[in-house]
Amino acid sequence: MPARKSAEFAPYAALALRLGLGVFFVWSGWVKVFKTGLDDFTRAVGNYKIVVSPWDAVVAYTIPWVEIVVGFCLIVGLWKRGALWALAGLVGVFAFGVGQAWARNLNIACGCLGNPDGSPMNYTLKFVEFGGYWLGILLIWWLSRKEGSGHVFGGKRLKLPG
C-alpha cells in the first residue's frame, strides 16, 4: 500500500520541482538581461578568465537567454527531458567555471544573480547550490520516468513497415 501512495505522489513532486527549477532559471536569466544588464554580466564572465574578448561577450549574451528558454520549457512542460539535459549541461558548465576560478584562487563575484554588491562568492556554498540543482534534476527525471513515452521530444517510436 505505501508504494501506491508514493506512486500517486510522484507526478506532483516532479511537477513542483520542475516548476521551481523553471521559475528560478527564468528569473536568473531575466535578472542578467533586464535588471543588471548584459554589460555587467560580460564583465563577470570575463573575470573567470576562461575565454578572451570578444568570446566573453558571446558567452555572456547567450547564457541568460538559454536559461530563460530552458526554464520556460520546464515550466510549461515542453520538451521536458531535453530541457533537463540542457539544464544539467548549464549547471555543469557553471560548475566547471566556478571550479577553475576556485582552483586559481580568483576572488571574484559570481555574476549568477546579478550580485548587486559585487561581493566575492563563497565557493563552498556555490558547489552546494550546484549539488542542489543536480539533485533536483535527477529527482525530476526519476519521478517522471513513467510519465509519457520517455523520449526527449515526446511521441512514440517510429515503426517502419516490414
Side-chain angles (χ1 to χ4, degrees), residues 26-94:
V26 166
W27 175 69
S28 174
W30 183 87
V31 165
K32 290 175 193 134
V33 173
F34 298 109
K35 189 171 181 190
T36 59
L38 290 172
D39 291 336
D40 287 343
F41 188 56
T42 301
R43 278 191 288 284
V45 168
N47 289 338
Y48 283 88
K49 297 182 179 165
I50 298 175
V51 293
V52 295
S53 185
W55 294 107
D56 57 349
V58 171
V59 169
Y61 277 62
T62 304
I63 286 178
W65 291 107
V66 172
E67 288 178 331
I68 291 169
V69 169
V70 167
F72 178 75
C73 286
L74 287 174
I75 290 169
V76 299
L78 181 66
W79 299 322
K80 291 181 284 192
R81 303 255 177 179
L84 287 173
W85 274 108
L87 187 58
L90 275 174
V91 173
V93 168
F94 296 157

